Amino acid sequence: MKNNRKNTWIFLMISMMFLSSACSQEKATVKKKPNILYIMADDHTTQAFGIYGSRLAKLNPTPVIDKLAKDGVIFDNCFVNNSICVPSRAAIITGQRAQTNGVIDLEGSLRPENQYLPIEMGALGYQTAIIGKWHLHEEPAAFDYYKVLPVQGKYFNPDFRVKGNGQWPDNIEHTVGHSSDVITNSTLDWLKNERDPNKPFFLMHHFKAPHDDFENAPRYDDYLKDEFIPEPESLYDNKNNGSVATRGQNDSLTRIIGSSVSRRNLIRNQAMNIYADSSIYKNYRDADKIAASEYIPFNNTPEEQKITKKVYQDYLKKYLRCVKGVDDNVKRIIDYLDKEGLLENTIIVYTGDQGFMLGEHDYIDKRWMYEESMRMPFIVRYPKGIKSGIRTDAIINNTDFAPTFIEMAGGKVPDYMQGHSFKEILETGKEPENWQQATYYRYWMHLAHKHGNPAHFGIRTKKYKLIFFYGRYWVDTDNPDATWNKNSWGNDFTRKTPVAWELYDLEKDPKEMNNLYNDPAYNNIIDSLKVELITIREQLNETDKNYPHIQKVIDEHWND
């Protein structure tokens, strides 16, 4: 009897030891999962980096981020699905395209149950947080913690909506300082005081900067003060870029299409910010009321070029001062992770929510399918699992981010996500067999926000870009005679603009200065790209079957 009790006691002790060991191993396994820090700046375009080798690289605008990039992987062909804030962010959070996640413009929103990325990361044992710009209107309740700017937020003394601080959207916290500093302060505070050390973290740190209108912290007022900022050649001469859709017959629409650095665009140009109260600008006050037929092509005289040069220098310096503030604040985060021993087990991603036009083709803002607007910077550093010094031209887009993070965290990509994980590319620098060789783009907001960009879609491969400008606003299929609730867009978006195609040979013409659509030598390439475009639109649920008046235009002009 005593032996039986003794054996039972020994068995219980051994069992407890095994259980304790198993729990310790499980806990250790959780701890070994990499943290993921996703840093995204608003409108930080590839031209404003050193590593992307643009005309601005010699100014060394991003030394900290460049160092981060050289320690990891640099993507040269990362693209946005729609170069505007809300749809881009929705694609990142859902891993889905616009017509699947329902966010096609700036008024789109994501309900908590559709905030898939934090949901999936939470299910994998991650503590999730988002700090900074959110812009998806609904409460980011799927995150364990949030502290986000209301809509666009302010550059100085920004307010935040904070989880646990009352009911959305009245859960406001007031702060003092420049947004880039304050957002970083908030991230560091979360890492120090809110982070659960027993869990890996998934933290989205979103800067407001360098979104326009640019406002830098005062300490950067003299940064680049005496520097001459290199200009793009196309600022003064756009050559054969564009089409009748973007320029009109005999350049008649250049006065209203594409917001400009120069005074070319009568409705919105950067010169307005300098000369708004000056006699040099007085003739442009009511330009948006002028009928399109009355526009006279812009006379780019030496005097106008002198004005443009001054405006451009002011515009770029303000932008780059905001970028400098972002770069310095990234260093603060890296230094903290290093000090706390977290750096080596943290996957650090740096990107922008889209590209941005910095005077190329005399354009400002984004929205275009042109390279500077469509291309996203994308770098990843993770010493434990990614070799340094990798550079890849593999095509990825922002719907691929969520699947990749999920797989890097040890999960399986859900079937409802349309993006693809590029984990293998991160680890090997090589494209998997059958990796995507093209990406699809769609800008819906026809002539919106006084920027004057016509609606368009297209396909981008490594060698070519084919764009279709269909020149129409869309209507509700349940009420074809009424437009949707888009009055907040500004502009007369019901106006139709010319329909046209554009083709660019990106190997020969990387700056897209020569539209080759009417060159017979490219007929076979155009035919092949159109077939691919039809296929990719169907695969991604991005057709116009719900927009019959747009489909009618497509059918009528597909073979133009």
Side-chain angles (χ1 to χ4, degrees):
M1 188 72 174
K2 287 182 180 180
N3 285 338
N4 287 341
R5 287 178 181 174
K6 183 177 180 180
N7 290 340
T8 301
W9 183 83
I10 292 172
F11 175 78
L12 288 172
M13 288 296 293
I14 291 172
S15 297
M16 289 178 68
M17 289 171 64
F18 273 117
L19 285 170
S20 177
S21 174
C23 289
S24 297
Q25 287 177 5
E26 183 178 355
K27 191 173 182 181
T29 301
V30 171
K31 282 187 175 180
K32 286 180 181 177
K33 279 192 173 186
N35 304 308
I36 300 177
L37 171 61
Y38 176 87
I39 305 174
M40 185 163 73
D42 197 322
D43 296 342
H44 192 181
T45 186
T46 55
Q47 303 96 281
F49 287 76
I51 54 165
Y52 283 104
S54 79
R55 68 184 186 278
L56 304 178
K58 67 179 183 180
L59 298 172
N60 194 25
T62 52
V64 175
I65 299 169
D66 289 355
K67 173 64 167 62
L68 198 71
K70 290 171 184 176
D71 288 343
V73 180
I74 302 170
F75 284 83
D76 286 319
N77 281 333
C78 178
F79 300 105
V80 69
N81 65 322
N82 181 356
S83 186
I84 196 72
C85 296
V86 178
S88 173
R89 292 164 191 272
I92 292 165
I93 293 292
T94 63
Q96 296 175 336
R97 291 282 175 162
Q99 291 198 69
T100 299
N101 65 35
V103 180
I104 61 177
D105 59 24
L106 289 178
E107 295 184 12
S109 62
L110 274 186
R111 295 188 301 271
E113 61 268 27
N114 300 124
Q115 295 165 16
Y116 300 128
L117 180 53
I119 291 171
E120 294 290 345
M121 296 302 289
L124 292 170
Y126 277 73
Q127 184 183 16
T128 60
I130 182 169
I131 297 170
K133 183 172 176 180
W134 168 240
H135 209 174
L136 286 167
H137 305 300
E138 296 273 353
E139 180 182 15
F143 289 87
D144 296 321
Y145 175 89
Y146 66 77
K147 183 175 182 179
V148 295
L149 297 167
V151 193
Q152 190 61 247
K154 298 181 295 184
Y155 263 115
F156 285 97
N157 304 330
D159 297 329
F160 291 86
R161 291 173 176 149
V162 183
K163 192 164 190 174
N165 195 35
Q167 187 171 357
W168 178 278
D170 300 320
N171 47 338
I172 298 294
E173 179 180 306
H174 306 288
T175 66
V176 176
H178 187 270
S179 69
S180 296
D181 300 334
V182 173
I183 290 168
T184 303
N185 292 344
S186 300
T187 283
L188 293 174
D189 180 68
W190 183 85
L191 287 167
K192 293 173 184 176
N193 301 313
E194 302 286 342
R195 181 178 66 89
D196 183 347
N198 295 314
K199 285 186 175 184
F201 63 79
F202 175 73
L203 170 60
M204 303 189 86
H205 172 99
H206 292 180
F207 289 104
K208 169 185 170 60
H211 190 282
D212 73 351
D213 291 319
F214 317 126
E215 296 180 58
N216 57 269
R219 64 183 180 274
Y220 300 114
D221 285 348
D222 291 333
Y223 175 62
L224 300 175
K225 182 179 179 181
D226 299 321
E227 289 280 351
F228 176 80
I229 310 300
E231 303 166 335
E233 180 185 352
S234 55
L235 178 61
Y236 303 108
D237 183 2
N238 204 18
K239 295 186 178 177
N240 192 38
N241 167 268
S243 60
V244 68
T246 62
R247 301 173 70 147
Q249 294 289 349
N250 301 316
D251 283 351
S252 59
L253 292 181
T254 57
R255 308 312 301 272
I256 65 166
I257 288 181
S259 49
S260 58
V261 175
S262 74
R263 299 193 301 168
R264 171 187 56 77
N265 189 300
L266 296 171
I267 300 171
R268 186 163 181 166
N269 65 66
Q270 195 62 24
M272 293 176 176
N273 292 338
I274 296 179
Y275 297 115
D277 297 320
S278 167
S279 60
I280 202 169
Y281 176 67
K282 64 183 180 181
N283 294 328
Y284 295 78
R285 299 263 178 212
D286 298 318
D288 55 343
K289 297 178 182 178
I290 302 173
S293 61
E294 296 175 20
Y295 293 145
I296 300 172
F298 182 54
N299 186 8
N300 198 8
T301 63
E303 179 61 26
E304 286 291 349
Q305 291 187 27
K306 184 178 178 181
I307 293 169
T308 300
K309 184 178 292 289
K310 176 176 172 52
V311 172
Y312 173 84
Q313 292 297 316
D314 177 81
Y315 180 62
L316 266 290
K317 286 178 182 180
K318 286 180 178 178
Y319 178 87
L320 291 171
R321 286 165 186 158
C322 287
V323 168
K324 175 64 173 171
V326 166
D327 196 63
D328 286 348
N329 274 293
V330 169
K331 184 178 187 304
R332 293 176 62 203
I333 300 172
I334 293 171
D335 286 349
Y336 175 80
L337 294 175
D338 191 21
K339 177 184 174 184
E340 297 299 314
L342 296 168
L343 187 60
E344 297 309 294
N345 193 42
T346 299
I347 299 170
I348 301 179
V349 175
Y350 186 91
T351 186
D353 57 345
Q354 59 248 333
F356 202 74
M357 308 301 294
L358 294 177
E360 298 85 8
H361 312 295
D362 188 27
Y363 290 141
I364 60 175
D365 199 66
K366 52 257 185 177
R367 303 163 192 261
W368 295 107
M369 195 179 163
Y370 300 134
E371 284 295 278
E372 296 85 2
S373 171
M374 182 186 182
R375 185 190 300 276
M376 304 171 74
F378 197 85
I379 64 173
V380 186
R381 178 193 187 273
Y382 179 44
K384 282 192 173 181
I386 298 174
K387 295 179 181 178
S388 64
I390 293 176
R391 191 155 198 152
T392 175
D393 69 348
I395 290 177
I396 63 171
N397 66 69
N398 55 342
T399 64
D400 298 326
F401 298 176
T404 304
F405 299 150
I406 290 167
E407 202 169 64
M408 293 292 285
K412 181 181 177 183
V413 180
D415 292 338
Y416 62 76
M417 288 190 175
Q418 295 172 296
H420 307 284
S421 169
F422 49 86
K423 178 174 179 283
E424 185 175 335
I425 299 174
L426 288 172
E427 294 173 341
T428 67
K430 299 178 181 179
E431 297 178 32
E433 189 176 351
N434 299 322
W435 184 253
Q436 60 200 6
Q437 297 299 302
T439 191
Y440 176 74
Y441 182 92
R442 178 74 178 265
Y443 176 73
W444 292 81
M445 298 172 62
H446 183 64
L447 299 185
H449 285 166
K450 298 181 183 281
H451 285 291
N453 297 53
H456 57 286
F457 62 77
I459 189 170
R460 205 275 194 197
T461 70
K462 289 183 180 179
K463 293 183 65 175
Y464 301 105
K465 181 181 294 181
L466 181 68
I467 312 172
F468 180 62
F469 290 91
Y470 55 87
R472 298 292 190 278
Y473 179 67
W474 73 96
V475 294
D476 189 337
T477 53
D478 294 328
N479 186 7
D481 296 324
T483 56
W484 288 2
N485 59 331
K486 307 300 176 184
N487 291 330
S488 65
W489 285 10
N491 275 38
D492 180 13
F493 50 74
T494 59
R495 177 185 291 155
K496 298 176 183 178
T497 55
V499 177
W501 290 90
E502 296 179 17
L503 173 75
Y504 297 97
D505 185 330
L506 300 172
E507 287 189 341
K508 297 179 180 178
D509 179 28
K511 295 182 180 178
E512 299 170 311
M513 298 300 292
N514 187 21
N515 176 12
L516 294 166
Y517 187 77
N518 293 318
D519 186 337
Y522 286 84
N523 284 348
N524 290 340
I525 291 168
I526 290 169
D527 290 344
S528 176
L529 288 170
K530 285 184 178 181
V531 170
E532 195 170 357
L533 184 53
I534 290 171
T535 301
I536 201 168
R537 276 164 55 84
E538 290 174 349
Q539 289 175 342
L540 295 174
N541 183 36
E542 285 291 318
T543 68
D544 282 274
K545 63 183 180 182
N546 294 325
Y547 309 102
H549 76 299
I550 294 179
Q551 186 60 52
K552 184 173 183 291
V553 173
I554 294 171
D555 293 340
E556 290 174 352
H557 294 276
W558 192 258
N559 295 316
D560 283 0

